[in-house]
Amino acid sequence: MSEDSEVFAAVRAADGTAFAGLAERYRWELRVYCYRMLGCFDDAEDLVQEALLRAWRYRGSFQGRSTFRAWLYRIATNVCLDFLDRHPRHPTPGQTGRLAQVPWLQPYPDRLLEPVAAREAEPEAVVIARETIELAFVVAIQHLPPRQRAVLILRDMLGWSAAETAALLEMSVAAVKSALQRARPVLREHLPQRRAVQATATPLADRERELLRRFMAAHERTDIAAFAELLSEDVRLSMPPLPYIFTGRAEVVAFVENAMGSGSPLHRGQWRGVPLAANRQPAMAGYIRLPGDATYRPQVLDVLRVEDGEITEIVAFEPRVFGAFGLPAPLP
């Protein structure tokens, strides 16, 4: 039985369990799609759930004129556009490529990409594997109006045709082509200069894992000199949702020394790092145990951008993002 036939059967029988099982196959890629649209993992989680509930509520509108997958994408797109209409967000003015321009930014756990990547024979697995999900791209795309954002993701990231995209967004093909022509230059303008417009997302390379190991060791030893050796000359540090940004090795090292050095209240604590991957980038969950504490408490989640064997950007997120990564709080 084809998938569409299964969907029609579930709708006719009002079988919510069967329908949910069919829709659940697409949760992973829909969540990535919503994350791109919103730039916030928590919002993407909520809106994917809303999209799947809306799909069941309006199940009778599925007539088979498009694939079940395309129908779900239409619903997810409308949910995102409705959300962005109710909660308009605009990056704060600042230098191009600054992640601090998007205070609602959250990281995406790589572990939630793996269930899709494991199904290598399925078309949606290829879509997920090829999507550009780095933080720099997620920030750059937030500079686009929501409908242009959807057009660019569908056309350039998911490989939909202009006709398919037009049908999903209820636009003309000419309007889709025009939106894409306007979106691409804006995207290029807000991407880091050394980054290609589109790159294939792949698991971490051995070199990145080794650099991450040294990064964690420097934290655990509070070794500022070892930390400085890992940084590029033009490294940047940002801390969404806080507006602070530090640029250049000297400025970043001065901030870290102030936070971890002998004059800091954290200096007397013991650090532990947990290696992670977020947005297909190396990351570390940092925990600290202060004198008198029995456990390590969450302190920061750092996502690293690595180029030519050096850290070129550190994005430090608040501990509230730990839950999405399945991290314990506290750490024994």
PDB file of all heavy atoms in Angstrom, residues 286-320:
ATOM      1  N   GLY A 286      29.938  23.160  29.467  1.00  0.00           N
ATOM      2  CA  GLY A 286      30.827  23.444  30.576  1.00  0.00           C
ATOM      3  C   GLY A 286      30.099  23.432  31.913  1.00  0.00           C
ATOM      4  O   GLY A 286      29.078  24.107  32.079  1.00  0.00           O
ATOM      5  N   TYR A 287      30.604  22.639  32.852  1.00  0.00           N
ATOM      6  CA  TYR A 287      30.066  22.562  34.206  1.00  0.00           C
ATOM      7  C   TYR A 287      31.135  23.060  35.177  1.00  0.00           C
ATOM      8  O   TYR A 287      32.330  22.895  34.919  1.00  0.00           O
ATOM      9  CB  TYR A 287      29.726  21.123  34.580  1.00  0.00           C
ATOM     10  CG  TYR A 287      28.564  20.493  33.859  1.00  0.00           C
ATOM     11  CD1 TYR A 287      28.700  20.009  32.562  1.00  0.00           C
ATOM     12  CD2 TYR A 287      27.331  20.352  34.494  1.00  0.00           C
ATOM     13  CE1 TYR A 287      27.637  19.403  31.911  1.00  0.00           C
ATOM     14  CE2 TYR A 287      26.259  19.741  33.852  1.00  0.00           C
ATOM     15  CZ  TYR A 287      26.417  19.271  32.567  1.00  0.00           C
ATOM     16  OH  TYR A 287      25.365  18.671  31.924  1.00  0.00           O
ATOM     17  N   ILE A 288      30.696  23.631  36.306  1.00  0.00           N
ATOM     18  CA  ILE A 288      31.653  24.082  37.307  1.00  0.00           C
ATOM     19  C   ILE A 288      31.191  23.667  38.702  1.00  0.00           C
ATOM     20  O   ILE A 288      29.990  23.680  39.006  1.00  0.00           O
ATOM     21  CB  ILE A 288      31.869  25.612  37.237  1.00  0.00           C
ATOM     22  CG1 ILE A 288      33.079  26.008  38.071  1.00  0.00           C
ATOM     23  CG2 ILE A 288      30.615  26.375  37.643  1.00  0.00           C
ATOM     24  CD1 ILE A 288      33.593  27.401  37.781  1.00  0.00           C
ATOM     25  N   ARG A 289      32.173  23.251  39.520  1.00  0.00           N
ATOM     26  CA  ARG A 289      31.894  22.932  40.920  1.00  0.00           C
ATOM     27  C   ARG A 289      32.661  23.919  41.780  1.00  0.00           C
ATOM     28  O   ARG A 289      33.894  23.943  41.778  1.00  0.00           O
ATOM     29  CB  ARG A 289      32.316  21.498  41.243  1.00  0.00           C
ATOM     30  CG  ARG A 289      31.915  21.077  42.665  1.00  0.00           C
ATOM     31  CD  ARG A 289      32.284  19.636  42.940  1.00  0.00           C
ATOM     32  NE  ARG A 289      33.732  19.458  43.026  1.00  0.00           N
ATOM     33  CZ  ARG A 289      34.328  18.274  43.182  1.00  0.00           C
ATOM     34  NH1 ARG A 289      33.602  17.168  43.219  1.00  0.00           N
ATOM     35  NH2 ARG A 289      35.639  18.190  43.258  1.00  0.00           N
ATOM     36  N   LEU A 290      31.922  24.742  42.488  1.00  0.00           N
ATOM     37  CA  LEU A 290      32.529  25.748  43.351  1.00  0.00           C
ATOM     38  C   LEU A 290      32.826  25.146  44.727  1.00  0.00           C
ATOM     39  O   LEU A 290      32.243  24.123  45.115  1.00  0.00           O
ATOM     40  CB  LEU A 290      31.593  26.946  43.496  1.00  0.00           C
ATOM     41  CG  LEU A 290      31.323  27.716  42.198  1.00  0.00           C
ATOM     42  CD1 LEU A 290      30.278  28.801  42.430  1.00  0.00           C
ATOM     43  CD2 LEU A 290      32.619  28.329  41.654  1.00  0.00           C
ATOM     44  N   PRO A 291      33.759  25.741  45.466  1.00  0.00           N
ATOM     45  CA  PRO A 291      34.072  25.231  46.806  1.00  0.00           C
ATOM     46  C   PRO A 291      32.809  25.093  47.659  1.00  0.00           C
ATOM     47  O   PRO A 291      31.974  25.993  47.696  1.00  0.00           O
ATOM     48  CB  PRO A 291      35.016  26.299  47.370  1.00  0.00           C
ATOM     49  CG  PRO A 291      35.659  26.899  46.168  1.00  0.00           C
ATOM     50  CD  PRO A 291      34.608  26.908  45.113  1.00  0.00           C
ATOM     51  N   GLY A 292      32.662  23.948  48.286  1.00  0.00           N
ATOM     52  CA  GLY A 292      31.492  23.690  49.121  1.00  0.00           C
ATOM     53  C   GLY A 292      30.367  22.982  48.398  1.00  0.00           C
ATOM     54  O   GLY A 292      29.445  22.460  49.031  1.00  0.00           O
ATOM     55  N   ASP A 293      30.423  22.954  47.065  1.00  0.00           N
ATOM     56  CA  ASP A 293      29.385  22.261  46.295  1.00  0.00           C
ATOM     57  C   ASP A 293      29.732  20.782  46.163  1.00  0.00           C
ATOM     58  O   ASP A 293      30.900  20.407  46.048  1.00  0.00           O
ATOM     59  CB  ASP A 293      29.257  22.860  44.891  1.00  0.00           C
ATOM     60  CG  ASP A 293      28.597  24.236  44.913  1.00  0.00           C
ATOM     61  OD1 ASP A 293      28.050  24.615  45.967  1.00  0.00           O
ATOM     62  OD2 ASP A 293      28.628  24.921  43.863  1.00  0.00           O
ATOM     63  N   ALA A 294      28.710  19.946  46.118  1.00  0.00           N
ATOM     64  CA  ALA A 294      28.925  18.507  45.962  1.00  0.00           C
ATOM     65  C   ALA A 294      28.862  18.081  44.503  1.00  0.00           C
ATOM     66  O   ALA A 294      29.332  16.992  44.155  1.00  0.00           O
ATOM     67  CB  ALA A 294      27.880  17.729  46.767  1.00  0.00           C
ATOM     68  N   THR A 295      28.289  18.910  43.655  1.00  0.00           N
ATOM     69  CA  THR A 295      28.112  18.541  42.249  1.00  0.00           C
ATOM     70  C   THR A 295      28.574  19.689  41.344  1.00  0.00           C
ATOM     71  O   THR A 295      28.787  20.823  41.785  1.00  0.00           O
ATOM     72  CB  THR A 295      26.634  18.233  41.943  1.00  0.00           C
ATOM     73  OG1 THR A 295      25.842  19.387  42.254  1.00  0.00           O
ATOM     74  CG2 THR A 295      26.148  17.040  42.741  1.00  0.00           C
ATOM     75  N   TYR A 296      28.700  19.348  40.063  1.00  0.00           N
ATOM     76  CA  TYR A 296      29.021  20.348  39.040  1.00  0.00           C
ATOM     77  C   TYR A 296      27.710  20.897  38.470  1.00  0.00           C
ATOM     78  O   TYR A 296      26.833  20.133  38.071  1.00  0.00           O
ATOM     79  CB  TYR A 296      29.835  19.715  37.909  1.00  0.00           C
ATOM     80  CG  TYR A 296      31.225  19.289  38.304  1.00  0.00           C
ATOM     81  CD1 TYR A 296      31.448  18.069  38.938  1.00  0.00           C
ATOM     82  CD2 TYR A 296      32.332  20.102  38.023  1.00  0.00           C
ATOM     83  CE1 TYR A 296      32.726  17.664  39.298  1.00  0.00           C
ATOM     84  CE2 TYR A 296      33.612  19.705  38.368  1.00  0.00           C
ATOM     85  CZ  TYR A 296      33.803  18.495  39.004  1.00  0.00           C
ATOM     86  OH  TYR A 296      35.075  18.097  39.353  1.00  0.00           O
ATOM     87  N   ARG A 297      27.595  22.203  38.430  1.00  0.00           N
ATOM     88  CA  ARG A 297      26.360  22.797  37.905  1.00  0.00           C
ATOM     89  C   ARG A 297      26.596  23.343  36.496  1.00  0.00           C
ATOM     90  O   ARG A 297      27.706  23.777  36.162  1.00  0.00           O
ATOM     91  CB  ARG A 297      25.860  23.910  38.830  1.00  0.00           C
ATOM     92  CG  ARG A 297      26.850  25.040  39.083  1.00  0.00           C
ATOM     93  CD  ARG A 297      26.270  26.069  40.046  1.00  0.00           C
ATOM     94  NE  ARG A 297      27.227  27.111  40.401  1.00  0.00           N
ATOM     95  CZ  ARG A 297      27.459  28.197  39.672  1.00  0.00           C
ATOM     96  NH1 ARG A 297      26.821  28.375  38.531  1.00  0.00           N
ATOM     97  NH2 ARG A 297      28.339  29.106  40.076  1.00  0.00           N
ATOM     98  N   PRO A 298      25.566  23.344  35.664  1.00  0.00           N
ATOM     99  CA  PRO A 298      25.719  23.846  34.301  1.00  0.00           C
ATOM    100  C   PRO A 298      26.134  25.318  34.298  1.00  0.00           C
ATOM    101  O   PRO A 298      25.617  26.119  35.083  1.00  0.00           O
ATOM    102  CB  PRO A 298      24.323  23.679  33.703  1.00  0.00           C
ATOM    103  CG  PRO A 298      23.656  22.648  34.544  1.00  0.00           C
ATOM    104  CD  PRO A 298      24.217  22.833  35.918  1.00  0.00           C
ATOM    105  N   GLN A 299      27.066  25.656  33.425  1.00  0.00           N
ATOM    106  CA  GLN A 299      27.555  27.023  33.359  1.00  0.00           C
ATOM    107  C   GLN A 299      27.407  27.626  31.959  1.00  0.00           C
ATOM    108  O   GLN A 299      26.945  28.745  31.811  1.00  0.00           O
ATOM    109  CB  GLN A 299      29.030  27.073  33.782  1.00  0.00           C
ATOM    110  CG  GLN A 299      29.640  28.466  33.784  1.00  0.00           C
ATOM    111  CD  GLN A 299      29.060  29.360  34.863  1.00  0.00           C
ATOM    112  OE1 GLN A 299      28.527  28.867  35.866  1.00  0.00           O
ATOM    113  NE2 GLN A 299      29.155  30.670  34.677  1.00  0.00           N
ATOM    114  N   VAL A 300      27.793  26.879  30.927  1.00  0.00           N
ATOM    115  CA  VAL A 300      27.788  27.455  29.583  1.00  0.00           C
ATOM    116  C   VAL A 300      27.830  26.326  28.548  1.00  0.00           C
ATOM    117  O   VAL A 300      28.342  25.242  28.825  1.00  0.00           O
ATOM    118  CB  VAL A 300      29.003  28.390  29.391  1.00  0.00           C
ATOM    119  CG1 VAL A 300      30.308  27.602  29.440  1.00  0.00           C
ATOM    120  CG2 VAL A 300      28.902  29.202  28.098  1.00  0.00           C
ATOM    121  N   LEU A 301      27.262  26.579  27.376  1.00  0.00           N
ATOM    122  CA  LEU A 301      27.405  25.663  26.247  1.00  0.00           C
ATOM    123  C   LEU A 301      28.059  26.452  25.113  1.00  0.00           C
ATOM    124  O   LEU A 301      27.463  27.380  24.573  1.00  0.00           O
ATOM    125  CB  LEU A 301      26.058  25.091  25.803  1.00  0.00           C
ATOM    126  CG  LEU A 301      26.144  23.875  24.868  1.00  0.00           C
ATOM    127  CD1 LEU A 301      24.960  22.931  25.090  1.00  0.00           C
ATOM    128  CD2 LEU A 301      26.213  24.288  23.405  1.00  0.00           C
ATOM    129  N   ASP A 302      29.299  26.099  24.798  1.00  0.00           N
ATOM    130  CA  ASP A 302      30.071  26.795  23.776  1.00  0.00           C
ATOM    131  C   ASP A 302      30.005  26.033  22.455  1.00  0.00           C
ATOM    132  O   ASP A 302      30.286  24.834  22.407  1.00  0.00           O
ATOM    133  CB  ASP A 302      31.553  26.903  24.192  1.00  0.00           C
ATOM    134  CG  ASP A 302      31.760  27.871  25.340  1.00  0.00           C
ATOM    135  OD1 ASP A 302      31.057  28.886  25.399  1.00  0.00           O
ATOM    136  OD2 ASP A 302      32.637  27.599  26.185  1.00  0.00           O
ATOM    137  N   VAL A 303      29.634  26.727  21.397  1.00  0.00           N
ATOM    138  CA  VAL A 303      29.664  26.159  20.047  1.00  0.00           C
ATOM    139  C   VAL A 303      30.798  26.846  19.291  1.00  0.00           C
ATOM    140  O   VAL A 303      30.891  28.082  19.277  1.00  0.00           O
ATOM    141  CB  VAL A 303      28.331  26.365  19.312  1.00  0.00           C
ATOM    142  CG1 VAL A 303      28.386  25.743  17.911  1.00  0.00           C
ATOM    143  CG2 VAL A 303      27.183  25.751  20.112  1.00  0.00           C
ATOM    144  N   LEU A 304      31.673  26.040  18.685  1.00  0.00           N
ATOM    145  CA  LEU A 304      32.898  26.556  18.073  1.00  0.00           C
ATOM    146  C   LEU A 304      32.800  26.520  16.553  1.00  0.00           C
ATOM    147  O   LEU A 304      32.293  25.560  15.975  1.00  0.00           O
ATOM    148  CB  LEU A 304      34.112  25.729  18.511  1.00  0.00           C
ATOM    149  CG  LEU A 304      34.244  25.424  19.998  1.00  0.00           C
ATOM    150  CD1 LEU A 304      35.495  24.585  20.241  1.00  0.00           C
ATOM    151  CD2 LEU A 304      34.280  26.702  20.819  1.00  0.00           C
ATOM    152  N   ARG A 305      33.321  27.544  15.943  1.00  0.00           N
ATOM    153  CA  ARG A 305      33.526  27.531  14.492  1.00  0.00           C
ATOM    154  C   ARG A 305      35.014  27.379  14.246  1.00  0.00           C
ATOM    155  O   ARG A 305      35.828  28.126  14.802  1.00  0.00           O
ATOM    156  CB  ARG A 305      33.012  28.830  13.866  1.00  0.00           C
ATOM    157  CG  ARG A 305      33.201  28.875  12.357  1.00  0.00           C
ATOM    158  CD  ARG A 305      32.532  30.095  11.748  1.00  0.00           C
ATOM    159  NE  ARG A 305      32.802  30.154  10.326  1.00  0.00           N
ATOM    160  CZ  ARG A 305      32.178  29.422   9.412  1.00  0.00           C
ATOM    161  NH1 ARG A 305      31.244  28.585   9.778  1.00  0.00           N
ATOM    162  NH2 ARG A 305      32.482  29.529   8.133  1.00  0.00           N
ATOM    163  N   VAL A 306      35.377  26.389  13.436  1.00  0.00           N
ATOM    164  CA  VAL A 306      36.785  26.064  13.216  1.00  0.00           C
ATOM    165  C   VAL A 306      37.119  26.245  11.743  1.00  0.00           C
ATOM    166  O   VAL A 306      36.418  25.746  10.860  1.00  0.00           O
ATOM    167  CB  VAL A 306      37.088  24.616  13.646  1.00  0.00           C
ATOM    168  CG1 VAL A 306      38.536  24.255  13.348  1.00  0.00           C
ATOM    169  CG2 VAL A 306      36.775  24.431  15.132  1.00  0.00           C
ATOM    170  N   GLU A 307      38.199  26.971  11.472  1.00  0.00           N
ATOM    171  CA  GLU A 307      38.710  27.136  10.109  1.00  0.00           C
ATOM    172  C   GLU A 307      40.223  27.037  10.158  1.00  0.00           C
ATOM    173  O   GLU A 307      40.868  27.673  11.000  1.00  0.00           O
ATOM    174  CB  GLU A 307      38.293  28.491   9.524  1.00  0.00           C
ATOM    175  CG  GLU A 307      36.794  28.634   9.282  1.00  0.00           C
ATOM    176  CD  GLU A 307      36.432  29.984   8.697  1.00  0.00           C
ATOM    177  OE1 GLU A 307      37.361  30.776   8.405  1.00  0.00           O
ATOM    178  OE2 GLU A 307      35.237  30.265   8.531  1.00  0.00           O
ATOM    179  N   ASP A 308      40.774  26.219   9.259  1.00  0.00           N
ATOM    180  CA  ASP A 308      42.230  26.071   9.145  1.00  0.00           C
ATOM    181  C   ASP A 308      42.875  25.705  10.483  1.00  0.00           C
ATOM    182  O   ASP A 308      43.957  26.188  10.835  1.00  0.00           O
ATOM    183  CB  ASP A 308      42.873  27.352   8.591  1.00  0.00           C
ATOM    184  CG  ASP A 308      42.341  27.710   7.213  1.00  0.00           C
ATOM    185  OD1 ASP A 308      42.053  26.777   6.436  1.00  0.00           O
ATOM    186  OD2 ASP A 308      42.193  28.911   6.921  1.00  0.00           O
ATOM    187  N   GLY A 309      42.189  24.863  11.263  1.00  0.00           N
ATOM    188  CA  GLY A 309      42.758  24.375  12.512  1.00  0.00           C
ATOM    189  C   GLY A 309      42.740  25.362  13.661  1.00  0.00           C
ATOM    190  O   GLY A 309      43.372  25.111  14.696  1.00  0.00           O
ATOM    191  N   GLU A 310      42.015  26.464  13.510  1.00  0.00           N
ATOM    192  CA  GLU A 310      41.914  27.460  14.577  1.00  0.00           C
ATOM    193  C   GLU A 310      40.442  27.756  14.864  1.00  0.00           C
ATOM    194  O   GLU A 310      39.588  27.624  13.983  1.00  0.00           O
ATOM    195  CB  GLU A 310      42.606  28.764  14.178  1.00  0.00           C
ATOM    196  CG  GLU A 310      44.107  28.664  13.979  1.00  0.00           C
ATOM    197  CD  GLU A 310      44.710  30.004  13.586  1.00  0.00           C
ATOM    198  OE1 GLU A 310      44.092  30.709  12.747  1.00  0.00           O
ATOM    199  OE2 GLU A 310      45.776  30.347  14.112  1.00  0.00           O
ATOM    200  N   ILE A 311      40.173  28.174  16.098  1.00  0.00           N
ATOM    201  CA  ILE A 311      38.818  28.590  16.459  1.00  0.00           C
ATOM    202  C   ILE A 311      38.627  30.024  15.990  1.00  0.00           C
ATOM    203  O   ILE A 311      39.351  30.929  16.411  1.00  0.00           O
ATOM    204  CB  ILE A 311      38.600  28.493  17.977  1.00  0.00           C
ATOM    205  CG1 ILE A 311      38.723  27.043  18.438  1.00  0.00           C
ATOM    206  CG2 ILE A 311      37.233  29.049  18.366  1.00  0.00           C
ATOM    207  CD1 ILE A 311      38.680  26.867  19.939  1.00  0.00           C
ATOM    208  N   THR A 312      37.668  30.211  15.094  1.00  0.00           N
ATOM    209  CA  THR A 312      37.410  31.555  14.574  1.00  0.00           C
ATOM    210  C   THR A 312      36.182  32.198  15.218  1.00  0.00           C
ATOM    211  O   THR A 312      35.987  33.409  15.075  1.00  0.00           O
ATOM    212  CB  THR A 312      37.210  31.522  13.053  1.00  0.00           C
ATOM    213  OG1 THR A 312      36.106  30.659  12.748  1.00  0.00           O
ATOM    214  CG2 THR A 312      38.465  31.008  12.354  1.00  0.00           C
ATOM    215  N   GLU A 313      35.370  31.404  15.894  1.00  0.00           N
ATOM    216  CA  GLU A 313      34.197  31.960  16.570  1.00  0.00           C
ATOM    217  C   GLU A 313      33.771  31.044  17.698  1.00  0.00           C
ATOM    218  O   GLU A 313      33.802  29.814  17.571  1.00  0.00           O
ATOM    219  CB  GLU A 313      33.044  32.165  15.586  1.00  0.00           C
ATOM    220  CG  GLU A 313      31.861  32.885  16.196  1.00  0.00           C
ATOM    221  CD  GLU A 313      31.065  33.679  15.181  1.00  0.00           C
ATOM    222  OE1 GLU A 313      30.953  33.239  14.014  1.00  0.00           O
ATOM    223  OE2 GLU A 313      30.546  34.758  15.549  1.00  0.00           O
ATOM    224  N   ILE A 314      33.375  31.663  18.810  1.00  0.00           N
ATOM    225  CA  ILE A 314      32.801  30.948  19.945  1.00  0.00           C
ATOM    226  C   ILE A 314      31.445  31.586  20.234  1.00  0.00           C
ATOM    227  O   ILE A 314      31.354  32.806  20.413  1.00  0.00           O
ATOM    228  CB  ILE A 314      33.687  31.050  21.205  1.00  0.00           C
ATOM    229  CG1 ILE A 314      35.095  30.533  20.924  1.00  0.00           C
ATOM    230  CG2 ILE A 314      33.053  30.295  22.368  1.00  0.00           C
ATOM    231  CD1 ILE A 314      36.086  30.826  22.041  1.00  0.00           C
ATOM    232  N   VAL A 315      30.416  30.769  20.256  1.00  0.00           N
ATOM    233  CA  VAL A 315      29.088  31.256  20.636  1.00  0.00           C
ATOM    234  C   VAL A 315      28.735  30.583  21.948  1.00  0.00           C
ATOM    235  O   VAL A 315      28.621  29.353  22.021  1.00  0.00           O
ATOM    236  CB  VAL A 315      28.038  30.945  19.562  1.00  0.00           C
ATOM    237  CG1 VAL A 315      26.737  31.672  19.894  1.00  0.00           C
ATOM    238  CG2 VAL A 315      28.531  31.346  18.181  1.00  0.00           C
ATOM    239  N   ALA A 316      28.613  31.375  22.990  1.00  0.00           N
ATOM    240  CA  ALA A 316      28.393  30.864  24.341  1.00  0.00           C
ATOM    241  C   ALA A 316      26.915  31.006  24.699  1.00  0.00           C
ATOM    242  O   ALA A 316      26.396  32.128  24.771  1.00  0.00           O
ATOM    243  CB  ALA A 316      29.266  31.625  25.337  1.00  0.00           C
ATOM    244  N   PHE A 317      26.243  29.874  24.919  1.00  0.00           N
ATOM    245  CA  PHE A 317      24.815  29.872  25.234  1.00  0.00           C
ATOM    246  C   PHE A 317      24.591  29.614  26.720  1.00  0.00           C
ATOM    247  O   PHE A 317      25.389  28.956  27.390  1.00  0.00           O
ATOM    248  CB  PHE A 317      24.096  28.793  24.422  1.00  0.00           C
ATOM    249  CG  PHE A 317      24.051  29.073  22.940  1.00  0.00           C
ATOM    250  CD1 PHE A 317      24.969  28.486  22.090  1.00  0.00           C
ATOM    251  CD2 PHE A 317      23.092  29.929  22.410  1.00  0.00           C
ATOM    252  CE1 PHE A 317      24.935  28.728  20.722  1.00  0.00           C
ATOM    253  CE2 PHE A 317      23.055  30.186  21.049  1.00  0.00           C
ATOM    254  CZ  PHE A 317      23.970  29.595  20.202  1.00  0.00           C
ATOM    255  N   GLU A 318      23.471  30.124  27.203  1.00  0.00           N
ATOM    256  CA  GLU A 318      23.116  29.949  28.610  1.00  0.00           C
ATOM    257  C   GLU A 318      22.769  28.488  28.913  1.00  0.00           C
ATOM    258  O   GLU A 318      22.370  27.735  28.019  1.00  0.00           O
ATOM    259  CB  GLU A 318      21.916  30.845  28.943  1.00  0.00           C
ATOM    260  CG  GLU A 318      22.213  32.332  28.811  1.00  0.00           C
ATOM    261  CD  GLU A 318      20.991  33.180  29.102  1.00  0.00           C
ATOM    262  OE1 GLU A 318      19.867  32.704  28.813  1.00  0.00           O
ATOM    263  OE2 GLU A 318      21.147  34.301  29.605  1.00  0.00           O
ATOM    264  N   PRO A 319      22.876  28.090  30.189  1.00  0.00           N
ATOM    265  CA  PRO A 319      22.639  26.678  30.559  1.00  0.00           C
ATOM    266  C   PRO A 319      21.239  26.173  30.253  1.00  0.00           C
ATOM    267  O   PRO A 319      21.026  24.966  30.200  1.00  0.00           O
ATOM    268  CB  PRO A 319      22.905  26.669  32.065  1.00  0.00           C
ATOM    269  CG  PRO A 319      23.729  27.862  32.340  1.00  0.00           C
ATOM    270  CD  PRO A 319      23.354  28.880  31.326  1.00  0.00           C
ATOM    271  N   ARG A 320      20.276  27.065  30.026  1.00  0.00           N
ATOM    272  CA  ARG A 320      18.917  26.590  29.774  1.00  0.00           C
ATOM    273  C   ARG A 320      18.805  25.773  28.493  1.00  0.00           C
ATOM    274  O   ARG A 320      17.803  25.083  28.285  1.00  0.00           O
ATOM    275  CB  ARG A 320      17.931  27.756  29.757  1.00  0.00           C
ATOM    276  CG  ARG A 320      18.107  28.768  28.646  1.00  0.00           C
ATOM    277  CD  ARG A 320      17.236  29.987  28.903  1.00  0.00           C
ATOM    278  NE  ARG A 320      17.328  30.969  27.844  1.00  0.00           N
ATOM    279  CZ  ARG A 320      16.504  31.024  26.807  1.00  0.00           C
ATOM    280  NH1 ARG A 320      15.536  30.125  26.694  1.00  0.00           N
ATOM    281  NH2 ARG A 320      16.636  31.945  25.883  1.00  0.00           N
TER     282      ARG A 320
END
